[in-house]
Amino acid sequence: QVQLEESGGGLVQAGGSLRLSCAASGSMFSIDAMGWYRQAPGKQRELVATITRSRSTNYADSVKGRFTISRDNSKKTVHLQMNSLKPEDTAVYYCNADVRVSFTSGNYWGQGTQVTVSS
């Protein structure tokens, strides 16, 4: 059973920084793309950033230049460094990963971590 566990959320003032981390555990062959998504109250879940195994990255326009996604393949972790945070960044942030298990692949989600940015 593959599990993704996020950490690093919290309350921060506008202009501040937070670093989110996500660790994958369980039986798996490898992890392909990993990413972060977020969902604000009353809104749909949206992509924040993704990173491939070869570390190609993709960002939502709203976070470009402020957020940086990175990963450590040996540790099966992905991180999101969030700088210059704005109140509109307030949301539950979810880790996502495409994981190869045995002869199949599956898409997995973490439980989410709350990020609150006060003005």
Side-chain angles (χ1 to χ4, degrees), residues 4 6 35-49 60 62 90-97 107-113:
L4 302 178
E6 302 102 335
W36 291 94
Y37 292 72
R38 67 186 181 187
Q39 187 167 18
K43 294 187 176 181
Q44 290 188 329
R45 191 172 297 188
E46 63 178 5
L47 179 147
V48 176
S62 59
T90 296
V92 178
Y93 283 69
Y94 296 91
C95 177
N96 179 268
N107 185 259
Y108 296 86
W109 291 93
Q111 296 282 359
T113 185

Side-chain angles (χ1 to χ4, degrees), residues 4 6 13 16-17 25 30 32 42 46 61 63 66 91 96 103:
L4 302 178
E6 302 102 335
Q13 288 188 331
S17 298
S25 62
S30 64
D32 294 327
E46 63 178 5
D61 288 343
V63 307
R66 300 188 298 121
N96 179 268
F103 297 104

